[in-house]
Amino acid sequence: MTLGFTTIYWRDMIRFVRFKTLLVSSLLQPALWLAFFGIAMSSSFDTLMAGMPVPPGAHSVGYLTFMGAGIIAMTTLFTSLFGGIVILFDKNWGLMREILASPMNRNHIIFGIGLSGVTKSFIQAVIIMVFGILIGAAFFAGFSPVEIIVGVAGVLAFVGMFALGFLFLSAAIAISMESPEGLQGVTTLLTMPIFFASNALYPIDAFPEILKILSVYNPMTLLITGIRYFVIGPDFIALGKHYQYTQSDILTSYLGLMLFTAFMFGLAWWRFKKAVVT
Amino acid sequence: MPETQHNHREIIINVENLEHSYGNFKAVDGISFSVKKGEIFSFLGPNGAGKSTAINILITLLAKQKGDATVAGYDVTKDPQKVRESIGIVFQDITLDRDMTVWEILEFHGRLYNMPPEQRRKRIEELLDLVELGAKRNERTKNLSGGMKRRLEIARGLMTRPKVLFLDEPTIGLDPQTRMRMWDYIKGVNNEGTTIFLTTHYMDEADQLSDRISIIDQGKIVISGTSWELKNTLGRDLIYLETNDNNAAIRLLQDLPSVRDVKPKRKGFVLMVNEDGTKVLPVVIDVLRNAGIETLTINLKKPSMDDVFVFYTGKELRDEPSGKIPMRPGGR
């Protein structure tokens, strides 16, 4: 029974590949964000910032590079929060009964859905990194080949952990909900504060105190910190702010994400244990 | 099949004093029954009678509240995993992923039950042959006809060679020919030793297939037995009459020694008689004529399962679903 989650994973990936529109749109969407929002915003911001002094020796990055990391995070957030919807459809179409009446441990449903969601997020993250570089984001600029490999691995490690956490949350919501509209409502409600109360598009230092506290502990901020560290480096200036990350900052962020994900797994496990689908 | 043949067989499903409530509503109100190994057992009842609730408890989708239930020797509450490993299920409504192929549906099921790959693949081929879907193996299920979908679901239910196969309304919405072919499959599966637990709305289906039948109404089992025994409880024959004074006619006829019971109907009434109806009929006509009651319509027939169902549940068969498969089960 230990590999039951691979069965759920297998089926979800069949669906992912088979629904061509879903596949194409999920791959295109992050690229479009980066292309339109990224280029539009960076041309304005970079003009504004052009006159600002850069301390000697500091490495300054353009807005596109800065927010590119945010777009990776945003895409991961959206994809993961909606990743549980397959559970809701399965439930409403009666397919979940086959699974729940089988001897497979229910945790494997959670893990299977988590794993397929993480796969999708990995694909998207790689697409954004490649596409970002193509349109001029300075990802991995000045990195050696080994540093690039470490950088990509680091990004995927952060993206994977974060995606897993939100997929568990999504699964927990989906198994508790009756309608896709309800799930859509709740996830939309969640994305707004998670996305904007983070350092995805701007620094959080100028936030009012309460918002700042929320932002610091926001898993989204933890993820973006990790991504920036791995794609830009530990020391850079963006939007006139000097960012310096130490290795322990990054480790702390990752531990924070692990804690969040563990907590979300607990939530999903509890909801699935209670779930009655007849 | 005669009852005695089954008496020696071991019991594979045993239910005692099972109760289940939704809030204040008792969906299942203390039912007891048992199913013997190798038989086809039918569970009949009108919508909302408690059939689905009982079946959901037996297949471990619904937690048991009160009473005892064992399947294949395992308690549904203490050993749900073991129960799940021992049973196959064909759900009331179609539960096939529209975008998976026939082969993938069976492969997925085999993997869910942790079957080793070789056994799984071999079994898929055997079952595709059995339900004659080999040519459709790479077809997505949304492109299958209703009958093919049901056959695929039956094949899926058999993937793990279950000891008990639960069939919840297996022929709902199918045309008469497809239904009869489905019966052949079900009988074939049963002949190979699988115990069948069937629920159905179709009385002819229960009559054709079952070794034994229990009828449930308002959460209670109202009668159990072979279809022959059930029909016999209504008497040997049924005489339907319409007269110009039904009440007077009933008063006169209910005291005849051959009349077991009288059941009023909308326009007339039915006499259940213990003796050969063709012999009773002239007597009935004489009695009515002597009393000056005019007979308008007369009909003689053998009791059918329809009659049994209507008699014991008091419900006409017309308040059934039209055959359109609902998205979620309506009756719990």
Side-chain angles (χ1 to χ4, degrees):
Chain A
M1 276 312 114
T2 46
L3 292 175
F5 67 92
T6 60
T7 305
I8 303 291
Y9 176 74
W10 172 69
R11 171 167 170 248
D12 208 42
M13 289 320 285
I14 287 181
R15 297 166 57 95
F16 180 60
V17 181
R18 201 154 281 171
F19 295 130
K20 294 286 183 267
T21 37
L22 186 68
L23 180 69
V24 172
S25 68
S26 70
L27 301 183
L28 219 53
Q29 184 225 15
L32 289 179
W33 260 90
L34 205 55
F36 288 95
F37 187 73
I39 291 173
M41 290 296 277
S42 63
S43 45
S44 322
F45 274 123
D46 290 345
T47 316
L48 283 173
M49 297 296 155
M52 293 196 57
V54 176
H59 161 57
S60 174
V61 296
Y63 186 66
L64 187 65
T65 312
F66 178 79
M67 64 90 75
I71 296 295
I72 295 176
M74 182 199 75
T75 309
T76 310
L77 175 70
F78 286 2
T79 303
S80 307
L81 262 182
F82 285 98
I85 203 158
V86 60
I87 289 171
L88 190 63
F89 284 129
D90 279 359
K91 203 172 76 164
N92 283 355
W93 291 101
L95 309 182
M96 188 55 82
R97 285 185 293 167
E98 179 198 1
I99 301 171
L100 292 185
S102 80
M104 193 184 71
N105 189 313
R106 291 183 178 192
N107 287 340
H108 286 294
I109 306 172
I110 309 174
F111 280 127
I113 292 296
L115 198 61
S116 78
V118 167
T119 308
K120 293 171 201 170
S121 290
F122 278 0
I123 297 171
Q124 288 179 324
V126 170
I127 287 178
I128 300 169
M129 286 190 274
V130 172
F131 186 72
I133 291 169
L134 286 180
I135 64 168
F139 296 154
F140 311 116
F143 281 34
S144 70
V146 175
E147 283 172 329
I148 291 178
I149 292 169
V150 171
V152 172
V155 169
L156 295 186
F158 266 82
V159 164
M161 188 53 68
F162 176 88
L164 217 47
F166 277 97
L167 282 156
F168 291 159
L169 174 62
S170 178
I173 298 170
I175 196 76
S176 317
M177 287 258 164
E178 292 294 330
S179 73
E181 291 82 1
L183 179 75
Q184 198 122 15
V186 173
T187 47
T188 309
L189 207 64
L190 282 172
T191 27
M192 204 64 92
I194 293 172
F195 181 53
F196 287 107
S198 81
N199 57 355
L201 302 177
Y202 30 68
I204 56 178
D205 307 72
F207 282 5
E209 202 54 37
I210 292 174
L211 197 57
K212 199 163 154 185
I213 292 169
L214 280 178
S215 304
V216 168
Y217 293 104
N218 186 347
M220 187 82 174
T221 300
L222 302 180
L223 169 67
I224 292 166
T225 301
I227 296 175
R228 289 204 175 119
Y229 175 82
F230 284 108
V231 298
I232 304 175
D235 191 340
F236 62 92
I237 290 176
L239 291 178
K241 183 179 158 20
H242 193 179
Y243 287 87
Q244 280 172 305
Y245 300 127
T246 63
Q247 283 186 349
S248 75
D249 287 342
I250 300 308
L251 196 64
T252 311
S253 293
Y254 199 71
L255 288 174
L257 283 182
M258 284 173 76
L259 193 68
F260 167 73
T261 301
F263 184 69
M264 288 303 139
F265 177 75
L267 184 70
W269 177 79
W270 170 62
R271 292 312 306 166
F272 269 74
K273 210 174 64 161
K274 299 211 102 182
V276 177
V277 178
T278 55
Chain B
M1 257 179 266
E3 178 71 0
T4 46
Q5 194 181 325
H6 291 297
N7 283 341
H8 307 292
R9 293 194 186 162
E10 65 181 279
I11 286 171
I12 198 155
I13 298 178
N14 194 41
V15 172
E16 270 168 42
N17 304 317
L18 190 67
E19 267 185 53
H20 197 92
S21 307
Y22 300 103
N24 289 327
F25 173 65
K26 260 194 184 161
V28 171
D29 191 2
I31 61 172
S32 302
F33 63 88
S34 59
V35 179
K36 287 165 195 143
K37 196 175 172 185
E39 73 178 348
I40 300 184
F41 177 86
S42 283
F43 208 43
L44 309 181
N47 286 332
K51 278 181 311 209
S52 296
T53 300
I55 216 172
N56 279 329
I57 294 170
L58 291 178
I59 64 177
T60 73
L61 278 183
L62 200 58
K64 190 187 71 185
Q65 289 175 347
K66 235 174 153 182
D68 282 310
T70 60
V71 177
Y74 302 108
D75 188 291
V76 294
T77 309
K78 290 185 201 123
D79 258 331
Q81 290 300 108
K82 290 283 180 196
V83 171
R84 288 169 188 163
E85 285 165 19
S86 312
I87 62 174
I89 309 161
V90 175
F91 292 102
Q92 182 174 342
D93 26 41
I94 300 287
T95 56
L96 298 173
D97 189 324
R98 292 165 44 82
D99 292 289
M100 283 168 87
T101 66
V102 167
W103 185 87
E104 284 165 353
I105 291 285
L106 297 177
E107 169 75 3
F108 177 70
H109 194 77
R111 288 175 70 158
L112 268 187
Y113 283 74
N114 210 27
M115 290 170 74
E118 273 180 30
Q119 189 193 356
R120 203 160 70 205
R121 306 277 150 84
K122 194 164 151 268
R123 215 55 202 121
I124 290 176
E125 295 312 313
E126 288 170 15
L127 287 167
L128 286 179
D129 275 351
L130 174 74
V131 299
E132 297 168 72
L133 284 175
K136 298 277 179 189
R137 70 177 65 235
N138 294 321
E139 197 71 60
R140 295 197 202 174
T141 66
K142 64 179 169 195
N143 299 326
L144 301 180
S145 71
M148 288 178 189
K149 284 182 189 162
R150 266 313 192 196
R151 267 144 58 194
L152 176 56
E153 290 198 312
I154 289 179
R156 180 174 70 181
L158 292 171
M159 265 300 278
T160 55
R161 287 189 191 275
K163 294 195 180 103
V164 186
L165 182 62
F166 286 86
L167 298 170
D168 198 0
E169 312 263 357
T171 64
I172 197 164
L174 300 181
D175 63 68
Q177 276 171 321
T178 315
R179 284 181 61 211
M180 278 181 215
R181 285 197 44 208
M182 213 55 86
W183 295 351
D184 288 339
Y185 289 123
I186 295 171
K187 281 181 196 160
V189 167
N190 178 246
N191 282 340
E192 295 205 347
T194 308
T195 307
I196 309 265
F197 186 102
L198 175 80
T199 76
T200 181
H201 261 110
Y202 300 112
M203 295 305 127
D204 52 338
E205 184 163 289
D207 201 357
Q208 280 279 326
L209 290 174
S210 337
D211 295 311
R212 285 189 315 124
I213 296 168
S214 281
I215 297 180
I216 180 170
D217 189 32
Q218 295 177 352
K220 288 184 182 334
I221 289 184
V222 287
I223 190 160
S224 299
T226 64
S227 82
W228 186 79
E229 286 168 342
L230 261 46
K231 285 186 248 178
N232 260 343
T233 61
L234 299 195
R236 232 174 118 178
D237 280 312
L238 300 176
I239 299 172
Y240 176 74
L241 284 157
E242 285 175 26
T243 66
N244 64 349
D245 188 351
N246 288 332
N247 291 336
I250 290 173
R251 274 197 303 278
L252 282 171
L253 294 171
Q254 68 190 0
D255 293 331
L256 288 180
S258 55
V259 173
R260 175 185 293 202
D261 206 350
V262 184
K263 189 109 179 145
K265 291 275 168 184
R266 204 147 38 94
K267 285 163 81 181
F269 57 92
V270 175
L271 301 178
M272 301 169 191
V273 297
N274 288 329
E275 291 163 33
D276 185 352
T278 55
K279 303 263 165 35
V280 182
L281 206 47
V283 179
V284 168
I285 291 170
D286 276 351
V287 169
L288 292 178
R289 184 177 297 141
N290 292 342
I293 296 170
E294 191 187 342
T295 305
L296 305 171
T297 302
I298 196 157
N299 185 23
L300 170 70
K301 64 177 233 169
K302 294 270 170 210
S304 68
M305 275 307 296
D306 284 358
D307 299 317
V308 172
F309 185 84
V310 171
F311 181 77
Y312 284 104
T313 65
K315 293 186 180 64
E316 296 290 345
L317 288 161
R318 73 179 108 78
D319 54 2
E320 281 172 34
S322 60
K324 177 86 190 104
I325 295 173
M327 216 169 96
R328 292 174 59 81
R332 285 160 183 252

